[in-house]
Amino acid sequence: MLSDMNPENIIGDYKEAVLHLYGDGSRKVFYTDIETPYPDGKLIVSTTDKAGVITHVNQSFIEMSGYTEEELIGTLHSILRHPDMPAVAFKDLWDTVNRGEKWQGFVKNLRKDGGYYWVKATVIPNIRNGQVVGYTSVRRKPSRTKVNECIQLYPTLF
Amino acid sequence: MSHTFTVSPDFSPDHLSGWYIFNTWLQRQSGEAIHLEMYDDFHAQRDAIQSNQIDLIYANPFDAAMLVREKGFLPLVKAADMSDEAIIAVSVDNAVNDISHLSAGINVATTEDPDVHMIGMIMLEAGNLDASNIQTHFHNSYVLIAKSLIQGKADVGIFLAEAYDGLSNLTKKQLKILVRSQIGVIHHSLMIGPTLAHRQTEFQQLLLAMNNDEKGKGVLNSLGFDAWVKVEGEEMEFMIDLMDTLSI
């Protein structure tokens, strides 16, 4: 289960929300209006086990999330869950990868400091010897047009 | 029985003789008869792989999934401190300084190098560009892409970063980089096929020790490499998964 965010880590004026994470209890989060732009030319990469527990992150993941590698490994991937993201998007993600298929979508992620960043995420199941052993998620820079469409669409999905 | 070794057709022309020297070195060290077969393009090479004519390959990461999952190849090594990165560049006279300022309908000069083209297209995606709203022109070399930009025949060029860096200073002065990828985990790999799989560990040991003697170092230098680094099975699986996420 994820612990609540610490207000001492938040930079700037913030709002508060309680997220209900599917199967993982609830988490109090603090979030601001400060966006961190996606860095050009980079990919954010992580892997999780079947339960969504992070097993690997790359340097871009660490830099963009604001957490240290030690804080991330062994933690649920939903540590990045932003209150502006509708639960239905993640249900679609899990339903899709559980069928053994790839999922792709635009996601607003929450940083440790309460800020956010948009990504275009692709998640695929890692199949070894015919068995799903975990998931790889790769995020790339999204087009601003697509992000703006999501900013309009996502509030209608709650 | 003679085995066939091939190299991803995107090798630098400067290293062509280096691959022949490497093949001779490998034959002497391993005691196996190995014939080096160079293909003009990826299509011809893939046809040879599909018809089980290849036993050893320095493979483009784009082909790794097919080699491992369909053809039973195993990873051996990769070049130390090298990864496949792409550059998006325009003519220095182009007013555009950011991918997001590029417009639909532009002419994009690229090569058939599959991983570089894919990384380049992903970077263009951030500017709302994809195969459906650009004009793609394939060239046989990165020098021709540079020429195409300088002559105003193309608006944007997709380069292998290493090839761009190797262009003459005069050429580079006439170009401007919009974005350079910093992915770090996509790389070519030397891989061994089922007919030689029983010698995987021996081949790895030979290759990993290659930079320990002057002769081996000289062969590596002729390929533009400093040393080989072992590629574990799971590292290869990780790269295949990564390439899989990037292919959509």
Side-chain angles (χ1 to χ4, degrees):
Chain A
M1 220 170 95
L2 286 168
S3 56
D4 292 340
M5 284 177 83
N6 183 350
E8 287 178 12
N9 293 327
I10 308 303
I11 296 169
D13 296 335
Y14 62 85
K15 287 178 267 189
E16 187 179 320
V18 175
L19 300 177
H20 298 284
L21 305 169
Y22 181 73
D24 295 312
S26 59
R27 184 190 191 209
K28 189 186 284 182
V29 297
F30 305 102
Y31 61 106
T32 73
D33 292 330
I34 302 169
E35 179 171 7
T36 299
Y38 194 105
D40 281 325
K42 294 195 179 182
L43 296 176
I44 299 173
V45 182
S46 60
T47 53
T48 69
D49 64 14
K50 283 172 74 175
V53 174
I54 298 171
T55 52
H56 164 81
V57 290
N58 72 348
Q59 188 57 32
S60 297
F61 190 114
I62 293 165
E63 288 164 12
M64 286 301 280
S65 70
Y67 292 98
T68 64
E69 186 171 5
E70 292 72 29
E71 287 172 317
L72 291 166
I73 302 296
T75 304
L76 287 165
H77 209 282
S78 44
I79 193 170
L80 301 182
R81 176 85 174 270
H82 194 284
D84 289 350
M85 282 300 296
V88 66
F90 296 104
K91 183 179 182 306
D92 182 48
L93 186 164
W94 282 108
D95 287 350
T96 304
V97 294
N98 283 336
R99 287 197 303 269
E101 297 169 11
K102 299 176 193 174
W103 181 89
Q104 196 164 61
F106 294 87
V107 179
K108 185 177 187 177
N109 280 333
L110 180 63
R111 287 168 52 90
K112 183 181 179 180
D113 66 8
Y116 68 90
Y117 57 100
W118 280 95
V119 299
K120 180 178 181 180
T122 309
V123 184
I124 62 158
N126 304 132
I127 299 166
R128 306 285 183 267
N129 302 316
Q131 301 289 318
V132 175
V133 296
Y135 303 97
T136 294
S137 177
V138 178
R139 296 76 158 188
R140 38 181 129 157
K141 186 172 183 172
S143 87
R144 207 61 218 176
T145 311
K146 297 286 185 192
V147 168
N148 289 337
E149 285 172 16
C150 293
I151 291 170
Q152 298 297 315
L153 173 69
Y154 286 173
T156 69
L157 301 178
F158 281 86
Chain B
M1 178 190 168
S2 176
H3 299 284
T4 303
F5 170 42
T6 188
V7 175
S8 176
D10 56 2
F11 66 88
S12 161
D14 298 344
H15 300 141
L16 176 61
S17 60
W19 284 111
Y20 281 96
I21 295 166
F22 173 73
N23 189 52
T24 303
W25 178 91
L26 193 59
Q27 287 188 87
R28 284 197 186 135
Q29 296 291 319
S30 67
E32 295 281 356
I34 303 169
H35 162 71
L36 176 59
E37 182 75 42
M38 295 300 230
Y39 294 93
D40 289 339
D41 57 58
F42 283 92
H43 306 290
Q45 190 179 71
R46 285 182 193 135
D47 286 347
I49 296 166
Q50 284 302 338
S51 53
N52 302 321
Q53 293 173 42
I54 305 301
D55 306 297
L56 193 66
I57 182 169
Y58 187 64
N60 187 287
F62 203 85
D63 293 328
M66 179 259 288
L67 286 162
V68 171
R69 294 183 181 166
E70 293 174 32
K71 292 292 172 185
F73 275 70
L74 301 169
L76 290 173
V77 291
K78 62 179 177 181
D81 301 322
M82 290 182 78
S83 61
D84 293 8
E85 305 289 354
I87 279 176
I88 302 287
V90 295
S91 160
V92 73
D93 299 325
N94 196 320
V96 169
N97 287 311
D98 190 288
I99 294 279
S100 64
H101 298 147
L102 293 169
S103 313
I106 56 168
N107 289 300
V108 176
T110 186
T111 62
E112 296 214 18
D113 295 0
D115 62 333
V116 174
H117 179 69
M118 182 185 72
I119 298 168
M121 290 302 291
I122 284 170
M123 293 195 287
L124 288 177
E125 207 182 84
N128 245 350
L129 300 170
D130 58 39
S132 71
N133 62 6
I134 61 171
Q135 302 294 324
T136 310
H137 304 277
F138 289 96
H139 295 272
N140 288 329
S141 78
Y142 292 106
V143 172
L144 291 177
I145 293 180
K147 205 170 164 184
S148 183
L149 291 175
I150 292 165
Q151 292 174 342
K153 290 177 182 166
D155 303 297
V156 163
I158 298 174
F159 292 84
L160 171 70
E162 193 188 340
Y164 183 94
D165 293 338
L167 293 171
S168 73
N169 286 336
L170 182 67
T171 302
K172 280 189 280 192
K173 273 184 191 163
Q174 298 174 79
L175 302 173
K176 180 167 63 176
I177 295 176
L178 293 187
V179 59
R180 177 192 286 261
S181 74
Q182 300 170 69
I183 296 170
V185 286
I186 296 177
H187 53 79
H188 282 55
S189 309
L190 193 59
M191 302 171 80
I192 197 164
T195 55
L196 283 169
H198 62 286
R199 300 206 61 190
Q200 181 192 22
T201 308
E202 286 168 83
F203 270 57
Q204 271 174 331
Q205 285 166 350
L206 288 172
L207 293 159
L208 294 173
M210 204 171 164
N211 60 327
N212 292 342
D213 69 79
E214 285 311 310
K215 198 162 188 183
K217 263 187 201 166
V219 177
L220 280 167
N221 288 343
S222 68
L223 297 173
F225 303 155
D226 293 330
W228 294 110
V229 178
K230 189 174 176 180
V231 177
E232 300 286 356
E234 184 50 36
E235 181 186 349
M236 179 56 69
E237 291 289 345
F238 174 75
M239 190 177 75
I240 290 171
D241 283 340
L242 187 77
M243 295 296 288
D244 205 8
T245 69
L246 298 178
S247 63
I248 59 166

